[in-house]
Amino acid sequence: MNECYYDKRMDFFYNKTKTDTADEWTGPQLIVVLCFGTFFCLFIFISNSLVIAAVVKNKRFHFPFYYLLANLAAADFFAGIAYVFLMFNTGPVSKTLTVNRWFLRQGLLDTSLTASLVNLLVIAVERHMSIMRMKIHSNLTKKRVTFLIISIWAIAIFMGAVPTLGWNCLCDITICSSLAPIYSRSYLIFWSVLNLVVFFIMVVVYIRIYMYVQRKTNVLSSHTSGSISRRKTPVKLMKTVMTVLGAFVVCWTPGLVVLLLDGLNCTHCGIQNVKRWFLLLALLNSVMNPIIYSYKDDEMWGTMKKMICCSSEDKSHDRRSSRIPSTVLCRSTDTSGHYIEDGIIQGTICGKGDLGDKGNS
Protein backbone atom coordinates (compact mmCIF):
# COMPACT_ATOMS: atom_id res chain seq x y z
CA MET A 1 0.00 0.00 0.00
CA ASN A 2 1.35 3.42 -0.96
CA GLU A 3 2.23 5.88 1.78
CA CYS A 4 0.30 9.17 1.83
CA TYR A 5 1.97 12.51 2.54
CA TYR A 6 -0.82 14.77 3.74
CA ASP A 7 1.33 16.24 6.53
CA LYS A 8 4.28 17.24 4.34
CA ARG A 9 5.03 20.78 3.24
CA MET A 10 5.36 21.67 -0.40
CA ASP A 11 9.17 21.63 -0.39
CA PHE A 12 8.96 17.84 -0.13
CA PHE A 13 6.93 17.59 -3.37
CA TYR A 14 8.96 20.25 -5.22
CA ASN A 15 12.13 18.33 -4.42
CA LYS A 16 10.59 15.04 -5.53
CA THR A 17 9.54 16.52 -8.88
CA LYS A 18 12.84 18.45 -9.17
CA THR A 19 11.03 21.77 -9.59
CA ASP A 20 13.17 24.76 -8.66
CA THR A 21 11.02 27.72 -7.62
CA ALA A 22 13.69 29.93 -6.09
CA ASP A 23 15.80 30.81 -9.12
CA GLU A 24 12.96 31.62 -11.47
CA TRP A 25 11.00 33.86 -9.08
CA THR A 26 13.74 36.09 -7.68
CA GLY A 27 15.53 39.25 -8.73
CA PRO A 28 14.38 41.50 -11.61
CA GLN A 29 12.02 38.87 -13.02
CA LEU A 30 10.10 38.68 -9.76
CA ILE A 31 9.88 42.48 -9.55
CA VAL A 32 8.54 42.73 -13.12
CA VAL A 33 5.97 40.00 -12.52
CA LEU A 34 4.79 41.54 -9.24
CA CYS A 35 4.58 45.08 -10.69
CA PHE A 36 2.60 44.01 -13.73
CA GLY A 37 0.48 41.66 -11.61
CA THR A 38 -0.37 44.37 -9.08
CA PHE A 39 -1.31 46.89 -11.78
CA PHE A 40 -3.43 44.37 -13.68
CA CYS A 41 -5.22 43.21 -10.52
CA LEU A 42 -6.13 46.76 -9.52
CA PHE A 43 -7.46 47.42 -13.01
CA ILE A 44 -9.42 44.14 -12.91
CA PHE A 45 -11.10 45.04 -9.63
CA ILE A 46 -12.04 48.58 -10.69
CA SER A 47 -13.08 47.93 -14.30
CA ASN A 48 -15.11 44.79 -13.67
CA SER A 49 -16.81 46.43 -10.69
CA LEU A 50 -17.87 49.23 -13.05
CA VAL A 51 -19.27 46.71 -15.55
CA ILE A 52 -21.34 44.99 -12.84
CA ALA A 53 -22.52 48.33 -11.44
CA ALA A 54 -23.46 49.54 -14.93
CA VAL A 55 -25.66 46.49 -15.52
CA VAL A 56 -27.35 46.94 -12.14
CA LYS A 57 -27.84 50.69 -12.51
CA ASN A 58 -28.96 50.99 -16.13
CA LYS A 59 -32.41 49.48 -16.67
CA ARG A 60 -31.67 49.13 -20.37
CA PHE A 61 -29.24 46.35 -19.43
CA HIS A 62 -31.87 44.31 -17.60
CA PHE A 63 -31.87 41.45 -20.12
CA PRO A 64 -30.55 37.86 -19.85
CA PHE A 65 -27.51 38.56 -22.03
CA TYR A 66 -26.33 41.45 -19.86
CA TYR A 67 -26.96 39.54 -16.63
CA LEU A 68 -24.66 36.83 -17.97
CA LEU A 69 -22.18 39.49 -19.09
CA ALA A 70 -22.18 40.89 -15.55
CA ASN A 71 -21.59 37.38 -14.23
CA LEU A 72 -18.62 37.05 -16.59
CA ALA A 73 -17.30 40.30 -15.13
CA ALA A 74 -17.80 38.79 -11.67
CA ALA A 75 -15.73 35.77 -12.77
CA ASP A 76 -12.99 38.16 -13.91
CA PHE A 77 -13.18 39.97 -10.56
CA PHE A 78 -12.82 36.60 -8.82
CA ALA A 79 -9.82 35.86 -11.06
CA GLY A 80 -8.23 39.04 -9.74
CA ILE A 81 -8.65 37.75 -6.19
CA ALA A 82 -7.09 34.44 -7.21
CA TYR A 83 -4.08 36.23 -8.74
CA VAL A 84 -3.57 38.39 -5.66
CA PHE A 85 -3.57 35.27 -3.50
CA LEU A 86 -1.13 33.65 -5.95
CA MET A 87 1.28 36.60 -5.85
CA PHE A 88 1.60 36.33 -2.07
CA ASN A 89 1.98 32.54 -2.16
CA THR A 90 4.37 31.91 -5.02
CA GLY A 91 8.10 31.86 -5.72
CA PRO A 92 10.27 30.84 -2.77
CA VAL A 93 7.17 31.02 -0.56
CA SER A 94 5.68 28.07 -2.47
CA LYS A 95 7.97 25.62 -0.73
CA THR A 96 6.81 26.74 2.71
CA LEU A 97 3.11 26.22 1.99
CA THR A 98 1.07 23.45 3.52
CA VAL A 99 -0.74 21.04 1.20
CA ASN A 100 -4.13 22.60 2.00
CA ARG A 101 -2.90 26.14 1.35
CA TRP A 102 -1.41 25.09 -1.98
CA PHE A 103 -4.68 23.38 -2.92
CA LEU A 104 -6.49 26.63 -2.09
CA ARG A 105 -4.09 28.63 -4.27
CA GLN A 106 -4.62 26.43 -7.30
CA GLY A 107 -8.30 25.87 -6.58
CA LEU A 108 -9.00 29.61 -6.80
CA LEU A 109 -7.35 29.77 -10.23
CA ASP A 110 -9.19 26.67 -11.49
CA THR A 111 -12.50 28.01 -10.18
CA SER A 112 -12.07 31.37 -11.93
CA LEU A 113 -11.21 29.69 -15.23
CA THR A 114 -14.16 27.31 -15.00
CA ALA A 115 -16.56 30.13 -14.06
CA SER A 116 -15.52 32.13 -17.13
CA LEU A 117 -15.61 29.11 -19.42
CA VAL A 118 -19.03 27.83 -18.31
CA ASN A 119 -20.40 31.38 -18.41
CA LEU A 120 -19.26 31.76 -22.02
CA LEU A 121 -20.88 28.41 -22.80
CA VAL A 122 -24.18 29.56 -21.27
CA ILE A 123 -23.95 32.81 -23.24
CA ALA A 124 -23.49 30.71 -26.37
CA VAL A 125 -26.73 28.86 -25.58
CA GLU A 126 -28.52 32.16 -24.87
CA ARG A 127 -27.26 33.60 -28.16
CA HIS A 128 -28.36 30.48 -30.02
CA MET A 129 -31.87 30.72 -28.55
CA SER A 130 -32.10 34.37 -29.55
CA ILE A 131 -30.34 34.58 -32.87
CA MET A 132 -32.08 31.61 -34.45
CA ARG A 133 -35.27 33.67 -34.07
CA MET A 134 -33.48 36.86 -35.13
CA LYS A 135 -34.12 38.42 -31.75
CA ILE A 136 -31.64 40.38 -29.68
CA HIS A 137 -32.59 38.91 -26.31
CA SER A 138 -33.93 35.49 -25.37
CA ASN A 139 -37.13 34.93 -23.41
CA LEU A 140 -35.31 33.62 -20.34
CA THR A 141 -36.96 34.77 -17.14
CA LYS A 142 -35.03 36.35 -14.28
CA LYS A 143 -35.56 33.19 -12.21
CA ARG A 144 -34.00 31.02 -14.91
CA VAL A 145 -31.08 33.39 -15.36
CA THR A 146 -30.53 33.40 -11.59
CA PHE A 147 -30.61 29.59 -11.58
CA LEU A 148 -28.09 29.51 -14.44
CA ILE A 149 -25.73 31.89 -12.63
CA ILE A 150 -25.93 29.83 -9.42
CA SER A 151 -25.29 26.67 -11.45
CA ILE A 152 -22.27 28.25 -13.13
CA TRP A 153 -20.63 28.98 -9.80
CA ALA A 154 -21.57 25.59 -8.35
CA ILE A 155 -19.86 23.86 -11.28
CA ALA A 156 -16.85 26.18 -11.03
CA ILE A 157 -16.40 25.57 -7.30
CA PHE A 158 -16.74 21.80 -7.78
CA MET A 159 -14.16 21.70 -10.59
CA GLY A 160 -11.78 23.81 -8.53
CA ALA A 161 -12.15 21.38 -5.63
CA VAL A 162 -11.74 18.13 -7.60
CA PRO A 163 -8.00 17.68 -6.79
CA THR A 164 -8.70 18.39 -3.12
CA LEU A 165 -11.45 15.77 -3.15
CA GLY A 166 -9.02 13.04 -4.13
CA TRP A 167 -7.71 13.34 -7.69
CA ASN A 168 -4.14 14.11 -6.65
CA CYS A 169 -0.83 12.34 -6.14
CA LEU A 170 -0.42 12.64 -2.37
CA CYS A 171 -0.51 8.86 -2.05
CA ASP A 172 1.53 8.11 -5.18
CA ILE A 173 4.25 10.68 -5.82
CA THR A 174 5.49 8.80 -8.88
CA ILE A 175 2.58 10.26 -10.90
CA CYS A 176 3.01 13.87 -9.72
CA SER A 177 3.40 16.61 -12.34
CA SER A 178 6.20 19.15 -12.33
CA LEU A 179 4.13 22.33 -12.77
CA ALA A 180 1.63 21.30 -10.09
CA PRO A 181 3.64 19.02 -7.78
CA ILE A 182 0.65 17.52 -5.94
CA TYR A 183 -1.61 17.20 -8.98
CA SER A 184 -1.50 13.89 -10.80
CA ARG A 185 -0.53 13.99 -14.45
CA SER A 186 -3.77 12.24 -15.40
CA TYR A 187 -5.76 15.09 -13.87
CA LEU A 188 -3.78 17.70 -15.83
CA ILE A 189 -4.48 15.78 -19.05
CA PHE A 190 -8.20 15.62 -18.21
CA TRP A 191 -8.36 19.30 -17.20
CA SER A 192 -6.50 20.70 -20.21
CA VAL A 193 -8.17 18.46 -22.81
CA LEU A 194 -11.66 19.21 -21.39
CA ASN A 195 -11.11 22.96 -21.58
CA LEU A 196 -9.54 22.84 -25.05
CA VAL A 197 -12.44 20.76 -26.37
CA VAL A 198 -14.96 23.24 -24.91
CA PHE A 199 -12.98 26.06 -26.54
CA PHE A 200 -13.23 24.35 -29.91
CA ILE A 201 -16.97 23.64 -29.53
CA MET A 202 -17.76 27.25 -28.61
CA VAL A 203 -15.71 28.64 -31.50
CA VAL A 204 -17.55 26.36 -33.93
CA VAL A 205 -20.95 27.30 -32.45
CA TYR A 206 -20.28 31.04 -32.63
CA ILE A 207 -18.97 30.83 -36.18
CA ARG A 208 -22.10 28.91 -37.17
CA ILE A 209 -24.38 31.46 -35.48
CA TYR A 210 -22.48 34.37 -37.02
CA MET A 211 -22.76 32.88 -40.52
CA TYR A 212 -26.48 32.26 -39.95
CA VAL A 213 -27.04 35.85 -38.84
CA GLN A 214 -25.15 37.24 -41.81
CA ARG A 215 -27.09 35.09 -44.26
CA LYS A 216 -30.45 35.83 -42.63
CA THR A 217 -29.73 39.55 -42.44
CA ASN A 218 -28.84 39.70 -46.12
CA VAL A 219 -32.05 37.88 -47.05
CA LEU A 220 -34.28 40.04 -44.86
CA SER A 221 -32.60 43.28 -45.91
CA SER A 222 -34.07 42.97 -49.38
CA HIS A 223 -37.59 42.52 -47.97
CA THR A 224 -37.51 44.89 -45.00
CA SER A 225 -37.92 48.66 -45.15
CA GLY A 226 -36.85 49.14 -41.52
CA SER A 227 -33.73 51.00 -40.48
CA ILE A 228 -30.30 49.66 -41.32
CA SER A 229 -29.32 49.99 -37.66
CA ARG A 230 -32.10 47.64 -36.60
CA ARG A 231 -31.18 44.99 -39.15
CA LYS A 232 -27.49 45.05 -38.31
CA THR A 233 -27.81 45.09 -34.53
CA PRO A 234 -27.71 41.26 -34.18
CA VAL A 235 -24.45 41.21 -36.16
CA LYS A 236 -22.93 43.92 -33.94
CA LEU A 237 -23.84 42.04 -30.77
CA MET A 238 -22.41 38.82 -32.18
CA LYS A 239 -19.16 40.61 -32.97
CA THR A 240 -18.92 41.73 -29.34
CA VAL A 241 -19.49 38.20 -28.05
CA MET A 242 -17.05 36.67 -30.52
CA THR A 243 -14.40 39.24 -29.59
CA VAL A 244 -14.76 38.28 -25.92
CA LEU A 245 -14.56 34.58 -26.78
CA GLY A 246 -11.59 35.12 -29.08
CA ALA A 247 -9.66 36.98 -26.38
CA PHE A 248 -10.46 34.22 -23.88
CA VAL A 249 -9.23 31.46 -26.19
CA VAL A 250 -6.04 33.32 -27.16
CA CYS A 251 -5.14 34.14 -23.55
CA TRP A 252 -5.85 30.72 -22.03
CA THR A 253 -4.89 28.25 -24.77
CA PRO A 254 -1.06 28.54 -24.34
CA GLY A 255 -1.31 27.82 -20.61
CA LEU A 256 -3.61 24.85 -21.16
CA VAL A 257 -1.24 23.44 -23.80
CA VAL A 258 1.64 23.73 -21.31
CA LEU A 259 -0.42 21.86 -18.71
CA LEU A 260 -1.20 19.18 -21.27
CA LEU A 261 2.48 18.76 -22.11
CA ASP A 262 3.28 18.47 -18.43
CA GLY A 263 0.54 15.89 -18.01
CA LEU A 264 2.08 13.92 -20.88
CA ASN A 265 5.39 14.08 -18.99
CA CYS A 266 7.24 16.00 -21.69
CA THR A 267 10.62 16.52 -20.00
CA HIS A 268 12.26 18.29 -22.96
CA CYS A 269 9.57 20.89 -23.71
CA GLY A 270 11.00 23.65 -21.51
CA ILE A 271 7.64 24.28 -19.84
CA GLN A 272 9.23 25.63 -16.66
CA ASN A 273 10.69 28.56 -18.62
CA VAL A 274 7.37 29.81 -20.00
CA LYS A 275 4.79 28.97 -17.34
CA ARG A 276 4.88 32.33 -15.51
CA TRP A 277 4.54 34.33 -18.75
CA PHE A 278 1.56 32.26 -19.86
CA LEU A 279 0.05 32.86 -16.43
CA LEU A 280 0.39 36.61 -17.00
CA LEU A 281 -1.24 36.16 -20.41
CA ALA A 282 -4.19 34.45 -18.71
CA LEU A 283 -4.35 37.35 -16.25
CA LEU A 284 -4.44 39.76 -19.21
CA ASN A 285 -7.76 38.23 -20.32
CA SER A 286 -9.53 39.57 -17.24
CA VAL A 287 -8.09 42.99 -18.09
CA MET A 288 -9.22 42.91 -21.72
CA ASN A 289 -12.88 42.02 -21.21
CA PRO A 290 -14.04 45.32 -19.61
CA ILE A 291 -12.22 47.20 -22.39
CA ILE A 292 -14.05 45.14 -25.01
CA TYR A 293 -17.44 45.78 -23.35
CA SER A 294 -16.93 49.54 -23.18
CA TYR A 295 -15.45 49.85 -26.67
CA LYS A 296 -18.10 47.76 -28.41
CA ASP A 297 -21.15 49.11 -26.55
CA ASP A 298 -21.60 52.88 -26.49
CA GLU A 299 -24.32 52.69 -23.84
CA MET A 300 -22.08 50.63 -21.55
CA TRP A 301 -19.26 53.14 -21.92
CA GLY A 302 -21.61 56.05 -21.31
CA THR A 303 -22.97 54.49 -18.11
CA MET A 304 -19.49 53.68 -16.81
CA LYS A 305 -18.26 57.19 -17.61
CA LYS A 306 -21.20 58.73 -15.75
CA MET A 307 -20.39 56.65 -12.67
CA ILE A 308 -16.72 57.61 -12.85
CA CYS A 309 -17.54 61.30 -13.24
CA CYS A 310 -20.29 61.11 -10.60
CA SER A 311 -22.69 62.96 -12.88
CA SER A 312 -26.44 62.95 -12.29
CA GLU A 313 -28.71 60.31 -13.79
CA ASP A 314 -30.84 63.01 -15.39
CA LYS A 315 -28.09 64.14 -17.69
CA SER A 316 -29.13 64.28 -21.32
CA HIS A 317 -28.43 61.23 -23.47
CA ASP A 318 -27.99 63.36 -26.59
CA ARG A 319 -24.22 63.09 -26.49
CA ARG A 320 -23.38 60.01 -28.48
CA SER A 321 -20.05 58.59 -29.52
CA SER A 322 -19.15 58.23 -33.17
CA ARG A 323 -18.76 54.52 -32.54
CA ILE A 324 -21.47 51.89 -33.02
CA PRO A 325 -24.86 52.50 -31.38
CA SER A 326 -25.77 50.66 -28.22
CA THR A 327 -26.83 47.06 -28.40
CA VAL A 328 -29.28 47.62 -25.59
CA LEU A 329 -32.71 47.20 -27.07
CA CYS A 330 -36.40 47.39 -26.39
CA ARG A 331 -39.10 45.19 -27.84
CA SER A 332 -40.36 45.91 -31.30
CA THR A 333 -43.94 46.20 -32.38
CA ASP A 334 -42.88 44.56 -35.64
CA THR A 335 -45.71 42.19 -36.53
CA SER A 336 -43.26 39.72 -38.06
CA GLY A 337 -41.79 39.04 -34.59
CA HIS A 338 -38.29 38.61 -36.00
CA TYR A 339 -36.66 41.69 -34.48
CA ILE A 340 -36.43 43.72 -31.31
CA GLU A 341 -36.17 47.43 -31.96
CA ASP A 342 -32.86 49.12 -31.33
CA GLY A 343 -32.92 51.22 -28.16
CA ILE A 344 -31.54 54.16 -30.10
CA ILE A 345 -32.61 54.30 -33.75
CA GLN A 346 -31.64 57.33 -35.74
CA GLY A 347 -31.02 59.34 -32.53
CA THR A 348 -34.26 58.46 -30.72
CA ILE A 349 -34.81 56.54 -27.52
CA CYS A 350 -36.86 53.32 -27.38
CA GLY A 351 -40.57 53.95 -27.23
CA LYS A 352 -40.23 57.67 -28.02
CA GLY A 353 -39.41 57.97 -31.66
CA ASP A 354 -39.13 56.49 -35.12
CA LEU A 355 -42.85 55.83 -35.26
CA GLY A 356 -42.71 56.02 -39.00
CA ASP A 357 -40.23 53.18 -39.10
CA LYS A 358 -42.46 51.05 -36.88
CA GLY A 359 -45.33 51.75 -39.12
CA ASN A 360 -43.39 50.60 -42.14
CA SER A 361 -42.26 47.41 -40.46
Side-chain angles (χ1 to χ4, degrees):
M1 183 175 179
N2 294 331
E3 181 182 358
C4 296
Y5 301 94
Y6 295 104
D7 58 339
K8 297 290 186 179
R9 289 192 176 271
M10 287 305 300
D11 59 340
F12 172 81
F13 298 98
Y14 279 111
N15 292 333
K16 286 291 182 180
T17 56
K18 298 180 181 180
T19 302
D20 190 358
T21 60
D23 293 340
E24 59 188 39
W25 288 96
T26 55
Q29 290 182 338
L30 178 61
I31 295 175
V32 171
V33 170
L34 290 179
C35 288
F36 274 95
T38 301
F39 173 77
F40 285 158
C41 287
L42 288 175
F43 183 84
I44 287 171
F45 292 143
I46 296 173
S47 59
N48 285 287
S49 296
L50 285 173
V51 172
I52 297 171
V55 173
V56 173
K57 181 179 180 180
N58 195 331
K59 293 183 179 180
R60 295 174 182 171
F61 292 148
H62 292 183
F63 293 98
F65 172 79
Y66 285 99
Y67 293 145
L68 294 173
L69 203 66
N71 192 51
L72 186 59
D76 289 330
F77 187 96
F78 184 84
I81 296 175
Y83 290 125
V84 169
F85 190 84
L86 174 64
M87 284 193 298
F88 287 99
N89 292 276
T90 192
V93 180
S94 298
K95 291 189 174 183
T96 66
L97 299 177
T98 63
V99 168
N100 289 334
R101 192 171 182 83
W102 195 94
F103 272 136
L104 176 61
R105 189 189 81 174
Q106 297 305 122
L108 291 174
L109 292 172
D110 294 345
T111 299
S112 66
L113 169 60
T114 305
S116 298
L117 184 61
V118 178
N119 204 94
L120 282 170
L121 188 60
V122 172
I123 289 176
V125 175
E126 192 272 346
R127 288 294 84 202
H128 188 275
M129 293 170 57
S130 304
I131 296 301
M132 289 307 169
R133 296 182 178 180
M134 290 303 292
K135 292 184 177 181
I136 302 305
H137 298 292
S138 66
N139 294 325
L140 287 174
T141 63
K142 289 186 178 180
K143 289 184 178 180
R144 290 181 180 178
V145 174
T146 302
F147 173 77
L148 287 174
I149 291 174
I150 293 174
S151 299
I152 288 170
W153 285 101
I155 294 172
I157 293 172
F158 173 76
M159 292 300 295
V162 166
T164 310
L165 298 175
W167 200 345
N168 53 61
C169 63
L170 293 177
C171 296
D172 187 3
I173 59 176
T174 61
I175 62 173
C176 290
S177 70
S178 61
L179 291 180
I182 55 178
Y183 279 10
S184 64
R185 289 194 295 271
S186 61
Y187 174 74
L188 288 188
I189 294 174
F190 162 78
W191 172 257
S192 55
V193 170
L194 176 64
N195 285 282
L196 290 172
V197 169
V198 175
F199 283 3
F200 178 77
I201 292 174
M202 285 195 297
V203 169
V204 171
V205 169
Y206 276 117
I207 291 176
R208 178 180 177 273
I209 294 175
Y210 182 76
M211 292 176 64
Y212 174 84
V213 170
Q214 287 280 34
R215 184 174 65 252
K216 202 72 174 179
T217 302
N218 291 335
V219 172
L220 291 175
S221 62
S222 60
H223 302 285
T224 305
S225 59
S227 67
I228 296 176
S229 174
R230 185 183 66 180
R231 294 198 303 266
K232 291 188 177 295
T233 298
V235 179
K236 294 172 182 176
L237 190 53
M238 281 306 304
K239 286 181 178 179
T240 301
V241 176
M242 292 181 69
T243 302
V244 172
L245 176 62
F248 186 82
V249 171
V250 169
C251 290
W252 279 100
T253 298
L256 291 174
V257 171
V258 166
L259 289 178
L260 178 59
L261 293 175
D262 187 34
L264 296 173
N265 200 23
C266 180
T267 57
H268 304 290
C269 297
I271 56 179
Q272 293 290 343
N273 300 325
V274 297
K275 64 177 185 180
R276 61 184 176 275
W277 305 113
F278 286 165
L279 183 62
L280 283 176
L281 181 62
L283 170 63
L284 185 62
N285 177 244
S286 297
V287 175
M288 293 172 62
N289 283 341
I291 299 175
I292 294 172
Y293 306 150
S294 59
Y295 179 78
K296 289 289 185 178
D297 194 324
D298 195 47
E299 184 75 17
M300 176 71 74
W301 169 245
T303 304
M304 293 170 64
K305 187 166 62 174
K306 285 176 61 178
M307 291 189 294
I308 293 174
C309 298
C310 299
S311 61
S312 65
E313 295 183 8
D314 296 331
K315 195 172 183 179
S316 174
H317 294 278
D318 292 335
R319 296 178 183 177
R320 301 297 175 187
S321 172
S322 59
R323 297 174 298 172
I324 64 171
S326 173
T327 53
V328 184
L329 313 167
C330 68
R331 294 189 178 276
S332 171
T333 56
D334 192 339
T335 56
S336 66
H338 287 297
Y339 290 97
I340 295 179
E341 289 286 356
D342 196 340
I344 303 169
I345 299 177
Q346 304 295 339
T348 60
I349 300 176
C350 284
K352 290 186 178 181
D354 206 9
L355 295 177
D357 180 60
K358 289 184 179 182
N360 293 332
S361 60

